[in-house]
Amino acid sequence: MKTVGIDAKGMHYTPLNQKIRAAVADGAEEIILDNVLGQRFIGDGLRGNVRIIINGVPGGDLGMFMSGPTCIIHGNAEHAPGNTMDSGMLVIHGSAGDAVAHSMRGGKVFVKNNIGYRGGIHMKQYEVDARPILVIGGTAHSFLGEYMAGGLVLVLGIGKEKAMTDRGIGSGIHGGEIVIRGEVDDYLLGVGAKKFEFTEADLERIAPIIKSFCEQFGYDPAEFLDTNYTRIGPASSRPFASKYVWE
Amino acid sequence: MTLGSVPPKFKVSIDRDQCMDCGRCIENCSYGVYRREGDKILIESRKCTACLRCVAMCPRDAIDITEKPIDYRPHPVWTREAREDIINQARSGKIILSGMGNAKDLPIIYDRLLLDACQVTNPSIDPLREPMELRTYIGKKPSKIKFRKTESGDVELETKLAPNLKLDTPIMIGHMSFGAISLNSQLSMAKAVAETGTFMGTGEGGLHKKLYPYQDHMIVQVASGRFGVNIDYLERGAAIEIKIGQGAKPGIGGHLPGEKVNEEVSKTRMIPFGSDAISPAPHHDIYSIEDLVQLIRSLKEATEWKKPIFVKIAAVHNVASIAAGIARSSADAVVIDGFRGGTGAAPKVFRDNVGIPIEVAIASVDQKLREQGVRNEISIIASGGIRNSADLAKSIALGADSIYIGTAALVALGCRVCGNCYRNLCPWGIATQRPDLVSRLDPEVGAMQVSNLIHGWTLELSELMGAAGINSIESLRGNRDRLRGYMLDEGMLKILDVLPAGA
Ligand code: SF4
Ligand code: SF4
């Protein structure tokens, strides 16, 4: 495997991304970025199958418009990792800020700990086999999966008594599903969101995702496969259809 | 139903002496006004929208359409519209949606601005004889440029120039998405802008494959729904526009109903077939001017700083300060959409009441940017109700670099501004996805009509400039001395920074 190392210390994001692109063009299969500290837009619009190891804390919009690569982040991530991402994967060994996976159309974002507000907002799915997946090991703040139009948000609530304690879950959701470990109080649901029964078939469907998440972070999947989940989806696929009348 | 029905809006009649019974009106009317029963063509006037397709196609001029055949008792306050809106809402309890732009009878400032011409003391210029420079560059301009001497003694530009769009005429076509309008409409306009050396917007609907040959003339749009946006789309565009708001409905999002999302629209927008496409009111990754900077830079970074980035806002009360913020946000152009901007569908209360006229917005934005010394940092593109070359010339004299037309381009394709775009039944093949209707619009013919319009306005602009003794668009831009206000009040003249006629 061809590995390229880049020391990002004190480097602005533009030259950093230029170096990453040059390495990818040069056939690198793995790129190791050291001393990353707040550089935004890492992997922005990047294509290919490269694996990027990020040591440090990347800035906002990590992997934005990304199409293919995998980024492993050994640290926290800032605002909106996976923003409008097409395909590929972000594995964050820490927590992340607001608007994680905003408008993501495909690929996966795995966050070991917690995320901020509006996680998975307006995530959407186009093709059946390319659905976007956001998995949160810990918990999320308000408006999780707001305006969601497709894909899956999974909250495991590891180390928490309750996986979700913030309100507005799935407000305006019109597609996709939010699966939360354990019970979710009704008052936490946003306008237009509804609880559905979580069936054996549902568990079977998400089991590979749970396993893949556990594999990334070294958890034993067994305890997540033998537990209750709450499934939240749209009360209607056309939440605004009844709001308007024509002139 | 105690309310009963409201009077029909139009009355359609056929002059039976003239009629040759060819049936073209039946075939052409997608709203179902005409039908044949036995040997007679029957008419259901209530269904008529005055799209005038039948009138245009009738070989005998046999059709007559009159407005408001039965009117209410006239009243200056309780207009027909006021009464009917109440009846509608008493029935439904919902928000009223309407099509096309602001339909209120408010004074149009353009019509109260007069252009100048030369007489005696400075000669006018004949555009037939003298070259008229209409070339316009959209994007950042350096505040100063530096040169250096090369070893061979040549002079070389040292300043790094930001990418700009090069327009042969300051007329562009604004964003109307595939989904809202048909592919044949987009194709017609794309061919027209390629031919006339200018640009058009894709709208928030992605870029259909058939438009790839014209991609160097397309401005791709990134709106809050991010429909159709991926790296491929961004790289194809000549420029990228972030849509924050729209003049017809400032402050609210958009909503393409599932009925309009057919196979092709679904592919281009990258959303499932038949699903509603909902664009939230704000971009949920932009909650501040700092966030806007971040989105602009993310787009620049994704496309390796090769594309100019535009930011489109609706003209609202604080438009000047907002534009000044945008000018500092690394955007290359700000698009201001006035309150007369068109749309397929907008809540009527927004369409008719929210936002400000484009004329004052151009003037106050240009003024503010000049005051702050950042006018060169950003181009101004004006849109929203620009109807002819005079509006264009006045917009530029007020301080715009270029304009977007929308409705005007659709009218060039056949649109009669009937305002029923949302019904997917546009008989002109424009605001519809129904294949039989779309096929009525031949992109080759449509392209000719739109480029004719652009040519016509361009010629008129050159004539207006020549008459004013101006031979370069640069000298017209922000040249408010060549405008005079007529029947405008003092406050308005001050905002426009224009003298009254006679002064
Ligand atoms: S199109 Fe004109 S001439 Fe033909 S049937 Fe209709 S009204 Fe008669
Ligand atoms: S584009 Fe809209 S307003 Fe114009 S004719 Fe078609 S439906 Fe009517």
Side-chain angles (χ1 to χ4, degrees), chain B residues 13-15 18-26 34 36 41 54 57-63:
Chain B
S13 52
I14 296 177
D15 180 341
Q18 285 298 319
C19 174
M20 61 184 258
D21 205 27
C22 68
R24 277 178 215 171
C25 45
I26 308 176
Y34 305 93
R36 187 180 289 282
I41 294 174
C54 59
M57 295 300 145
C58 173
R60 287 285 178 87
D61 280 341
I63 299 169

Side-chain angles (χ1 to χ4, degrees), chain B residues 31 49-53 99-100 180-181 185 260 343-344 407 410-411 414-432:
Chain B
Y31 298 109
T49 65
C51 73
L52 302 195
R53 178 79 188 182
M100 296 311 281
I181 60 170
S185 321
K260 276 197 168 184
T343 181
T407 306
L410 298 189
V411 172
C415 164
R416 299 291 205 260
V417 198
C418 74
N420 280 261
C421 310
Y422 60 92
R423 291 170 62 186
N424 201 22
L425 286 174
C426 175
W428 295 91
I430 300 168
T432 179

